[in-house]
Amino acid sequence: MNRFFRSRKFRLFLACISLFLLLDMVQDTYAKYVSSASASGNFTIAKWSFLVNNQDVLSNDDFSTTIIPTFDANANIRSGVISPTSTGYFDITIDSTNVDVAFDETITLSRSSTNTVTDLVFTGYKINNGNVVSLSSASPTITTAHSLNESTTVNTYRFYIEWQDGQGETMDNEDDTEATIDGEASIDVNLQFIQRATS
């Protein structure tokens, strides 16, 4: 029997058994550390939608038809028209309820390129029911910073206009008369909204 245990066949058989057991143990060991996983995720995109005088300016950026001037009553001037000495205002209401980021808002006013009434001026503005802020520039710019969690997301800007006559005027009586024949009193309003990425 001793001879059998010393024979090459037995040693070979014992080596094969040992190799099989070793491979089985190694496979079990590696199997403990093999794993896989997968996932998918959806992220909510911040809203960026502005209404200007109830018009969505992302889908239609020309809101000209929403600017309706109101002229102060004057016993010597027909209602709804402008002439020398006329004063009035127009409103721009900006609704940022559907905006999920902080942003800066810039409003630039100017006389339009077709305007012929050089005495048409912007005299001031106010936000909501605030105090009137005087304007002296022919093309004023108003910039307002809006934080993320503002309590008021609908703001109305009231801009005051005047057809100057007398002190500060650039048109004389003849120019004023000419304006009634083929003149045009018109303004441009430009709005710009820019996301504020940093504090």
Side-chain angles (χ1 to χ4, degrees):
M1 186 93 161
N2 253 349
R3 205 166 162 195
F4 175 74
F5 288 117
R6 289 186 184 161
S7 72
R8 283 178 117 176
K9 288 182 182 178
F10 178 73
R11 287 184 192 166
L12 184 61
F13 174 74
L14 192 58
C16 285
I17 294 287
S18 298
L19 181 61
F20 175 77
L21 290 173
L22 180 65
L23 287 175
D24 187 52
M25 286 186 345
V26 167
Q27 183 180 6
D28 286 345
T29 301
Y30 280 133
K32 291 179 184 176
Y33 297 103
V34 174
S35 61
S36 64
S38 64
S40 63
N42 292 319
F43 301 95
T44 303
I45 298 172
K47 292 181 283 189
W48 180 260
S49 176
F50 295 91
L51 297 179
V52 176
N53 292 351
N54 293 317
Q55 178 178 311
D56 181 352
V57 293
L58 295 185
S59 62
N60 182 6
D61 62 359
D62 184 355
F63 59 98
S64 300
T65 59
T66 71
I67 296 178
I68 302 168
T70 300
F71 298 107
D72 299 324
N74 185 319
N76 299 311
I77 303 171
R78 181 177 293 166
S79 176
V81 298
I82 189 170
S83 71
T85 73
S86 289
T87 58
Y89 64 87
F90 62 92
D91 292 338
I92 302 290
T93 300
I94 300 172
D95 183 345
S96 60
T97 303
N98 288 314
V99 176
D100 288 339
V101 296
F103 66 96
D104 292 329
E105 165 189 285
T106 301
I107 304 172
T108 304
L109 307 172
S110 62
R111 292 187 290 252
S112 72
S113 59
T114 58
N115 178 71
T116 60
V117 180
T118 57
D119 284 342
L120 183 65
V121 295
F122 303 99
T123 59
Y125 77 97
K126 70 177 181 179
I127 302 174
N128 300 324
N129 292 318
N131 295 325
V132 175
V133 178
S134 294
L135 296 172
S136 57
S137 169
S139 297
T141 297
I142 297 104
T143 300
T144 307
H146 295 276
S147 61
L148 178 58
N149 297 311
E150 284 186 335
S151 58
T152 303
T153 57
V154 179
N155 294 289
T156 298
Y157 292 80
R158 176 161 288 180
F159 296 100
Y160 295 95
I161 53 176
E162 178 183 352
W163 184 330
Q164 286 183 324
D165 190 56
Q167 186 178 1
E169 70 178 344
T170 59
M171 299 169 65
D172 59 21
N173 290 340
E174 188 177 334
D175 294 330
D176 290 343
T177 303
E178 186 66 29
T180 66
I181 299 169
D182 61 1
E184 182 176 327
S186 58
I187 58 159
D188 284 336
V189 180
N190 181 271
L191 301 180
Q192 187 174 44
F193 304 104
I194 300 176
Q195 179 185 352
R196 194 157 7 100
T198 57
S199 300

